[in-house]
Structures are given as structure tokens and as C-alpha cells.
């Protein structure tokens, strides 16, 4: 709490003068009062409480003046609020291993459902973008607040071969750079290499975050820790989610998840719905944990549908807190007005005009 114009508080010094003037007026009235032979008869004729209530309107006026002088000094309060300019980039692994049915009906279906719930849970002002990655990383939906477009894109994801975790991070950074001028594109470092800070600077973090979900290890594209350093340089947190069990069984994609051979849609390859037992890349938890730690975020492991829903509900996407100076002089003015109106109303009720 503070005051923008504290010198106006000097007006409060006039309140004792007003009270003194009121007392002098009361004494002056007593000089000219009519003398009665019996004061007890007068007191019996007076309604109960009339002696104190005749001073109540004046007390309310004095309080109203005090509040008005406080309002003139422009009081303010510092209020901490979450940033309304948060953007979340959702990077989803669509490699063929996401068709594993160790999490029924398969990993990708469960991830799609969890992602849609995550999108719907965001505040109305939060923008969400979607990057899908397999052997390459592709921006599916640029950051937007249109939940229908986002959910439609998630439900129509298709699979491909390989896993490019690092490329997913850099592609997400480039998408953020398009709408946040404080985030350079990945082809440009925010500071020269020799000037990069090794310590994590909380004050330099952006309100935008990346949430990356994968079920395997990166085997294509940018090395994940190199991409994590780029995110760190730009003040962007990367929350990583490792999804899947240690005992995957078979790959069983739906026809929609297999996609087509159309070159216009590079995320997706044609094929059969049931692949049988194949070799799986084990989840690289160490790398995912290092990516999150480097960027000041967290790594989560989800081995079931319920666990994945819990993870998405846990991720703190509203990270940036802004301290806003909120002036409250209008509140004091309103209270002063109400007290003044109450004083006038009581004065007219108890001492009506002739």
C-alpha cells in the first residue's frame, strides 16, 4: 500500500479545526437556550438516544472528509497477477511407437485425449500452439486461442518413423518467436556464446512455455540438449513428459493415425493397422530430465492414462507473475460519498426542515 500524492494528507490537519468549530457552535447555542424550571421533565420528554444521535450526522461528515482527503492522496496497492500473455507450445510425439497398446487402446489415442483436455483447461486468454514430431518436427497449429481448431488438429494427428525431440523444441521456439519479439528465432542466439550465463536467471524468463511429450529416445535431428540450451538462452521453460510403460507389446494404429502417403502431410505414413512385435526405443528419461532441468522446468513420467491426465493438470503454465499498481482512490471516494449521503439522510430524518 502506498500514496502517489502523499502531500494531500496535510488536509487531514483541518479535521480537528472542523471538530473545534462544531464544539464552539454547540456552546454558542447553549447561551441562547431557553431555561426551564425542571430539567427532568425535559429529559423525560426527549426520545431515547436523542442526545447522541444528533451528533451522528456530524461524525459521519467528518469520516467522509477524512476518506476524501485520503482519496486525494491517490492511494494504491501492488497486486500480483498471472500474466495474460502466456503462450503454451504443445509438442507431441507421433512416432510409430506411439501406437503401442500397452496403454489401452494405444499411447497416441490416450495422449490425444489428454492433450485435448489440457487445451480445454487453459484460460481464455492463453494461446496454445501444436507441434507434431517424428523424424521431423512440424508446426501443426500456430499459437491461437481457438480451441476448436486446436482440438481438431490433435484428433487428426498421424504417425511417422523416427523421433526428433530436439527438433521439436527448436520448432516450438521458432513458433514462439513469431509472436514474442523477446524470443529470437533459433538461427540467432540471444547473446554471443562467450557471454552466456551458466546460472539460471529467473527474472529473464519469458511467460511462454513448451510442453513436450514423447515415448522414446531422440534419434534424428537436433540433439535435445543443444535445443534445451537454445531454450534456456531465450528464457523459455521446457516441461518434458515421458509416456509409456517399460513393457510395450504391439503397435496397433487406427487407420486415421496411420495417415497417408501424401507429401503435403509429412507427418504420417501409410501402412497396416497391426504391426506385431517390433523393437522399441527405450524412454530416455535422463535426457528428458536434463532438458527440463536446464530450462528451469520439470520432468514427469506417466505410465497410464490417469497418470498422464494428472501430469497435464499439474504443469504450471501460468508462470510469469506481474506486479500491477492498482489505484484505489475511487474506493475511498465512494465510501466518502456513502457516508456523506448517510449523514444527510439521518439529519433530515431526525431534524426535518421546517
Amino acid at each position: 500500500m502506498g500514496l502517489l500524492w502523499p502531500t494531500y494528507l496535510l488536509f487531514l490537519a483541518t479535521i480537528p479545526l472542523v471538530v473545534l468549530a462544531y464544539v464552539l457552535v454547540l456552546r454558542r447555542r447553549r447561551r441562547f437556550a431557553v431555561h426551564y424550571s425542571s430539567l427532568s421533565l425535559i429529559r423525560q420528554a426527549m426520545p431515547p438516544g436523542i442526545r447522541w444521535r444528533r451528533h451522528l450526522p456530524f461524525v459521519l461528515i467528518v469520516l467522509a472528509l477524512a476518506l476524501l482527503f485520503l482519496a486525494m492522496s491517490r492511494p494504491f496497492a501492488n497486486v500480483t497477477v498471472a500474466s495474460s500473455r502466456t503462450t503454451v507450445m504443445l509438442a507431441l510425439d507421433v512416432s510409430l511407437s506411439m501406437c503401442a497398446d500397452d496403454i489401452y487402446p494405444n499411447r497416441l489415442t490416450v495422449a490425444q485425449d489428454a492433450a485435448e483436455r489440457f487445451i480445454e483447461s487453459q484460460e481464455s486468454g492463453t494461446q496454445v500452439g501444436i507441434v507434431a514430431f517424428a523424424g521431423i518436427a512440424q508446426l501443426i497449429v500456430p499459437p491461437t486461442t481457438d480451441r476448436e481448431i486446436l482440438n481438431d488438429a490433435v484428433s487428426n494427428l498421424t504417425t511417422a518413423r523416427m523421433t526428433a525431440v530436439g527438433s521439436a523444441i527448436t520448432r516450438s521456439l521458432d513458433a514462439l518467436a513469431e509472436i514474442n519479439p523477446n524470443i529470437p528465432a533459433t538461427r540467432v542466439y540471444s547473446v554471443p556464446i562467450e557471454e552466456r550465463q551458466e546460472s539460471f536467471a529467473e527474472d529473464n524468463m519469458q511467460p511462454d512455455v513448451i510442453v513436450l511429450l514423447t515415448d522414446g529416445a531422440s534419434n534424428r535431428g537436433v540433439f535435445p540438449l543443444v535445443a534445451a540450451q537454445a531454450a534456456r538462452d531465450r528464457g523459455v521453460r521446457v516441461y518434458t513428459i515421458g509416456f509409456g510403460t517399460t513393457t510395450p507389446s504391439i503397435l496397433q494404429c487406427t487407420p486415421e493415425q496411420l495417415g497417408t502417403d501424401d507429401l503435403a502431410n509429412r507427418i504420417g505414413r501409410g501402412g497396416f493397422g497391426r504391426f506385431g512385435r517390433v523393437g522399441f526405443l527405450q524412454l530416455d528419461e535422463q535426457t528428458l530430465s536434463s532438458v527440463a532441468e536446464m530450462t528451469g522446468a520439470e520432468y514427469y513420467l506417466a505410465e497410464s492414462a490417469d497418470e498422464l491426465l494428472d501430469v497435464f493438470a499439474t504443469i504450471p503454465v501460468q508462470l510469469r507473475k506481474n506486479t500491477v499498481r492498482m489505484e484505489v482512490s475511487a474506493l475511498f471516494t465512494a465510501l466518502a460519498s456513502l457516508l456523506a449521503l448517510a449523514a444527510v439522510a439521518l439529519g433530515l430524518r431526525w431534524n426535518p426542515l421546517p
Side-chain angles (χ1 to χ4, degrees), residues 10-47:
L10 295 175
F11 283 102
L12 291 174
T14 63
I15 291 180
L17 299 177
V18 174
V19 174
L20 179 60
Y22 180 72
V23 172
L24 293 176
V25 169
L26 290 179
R27 288 184 177 180
R28 182 178 176 84
R29 286 183 176 178
R30 289 178 182 176
R31 293 181 186 179
F32 301 99
V34 177
H35 294 279
Y36 291 89
S37 59
S38 177
L39 291 177
S40 61
L41 294 176
I42 300 299
R43 290 173 179 171
Q44 290 178 3
M46 293 174 62

Side-chain angles (χ1 to χ4, degrees), residues 51-94:
R51 283 176 293 176
W52 66 263
R53 76 180 188 184
R54 65 174 182 155
H55 302 298
L56 183 58
F58 174 74
V59 173
L60 294 178
I61 289 295
V62 170
L63 292 176
L65 282 175
L67 290 174
L68 186 60
F69 294 151
L70 284 174
M72 292 171 61
S73 66
R74 297 183 64 186
F76 67 87
N78 293 322
V79 181
T80 301
V81 296
S83 173
S84 60
R85 201 185 55 79
T86 300
T87 299
V88 181
M89 290 302 304
L90 192 56
L92 299 175
D93 187 347
V94 291

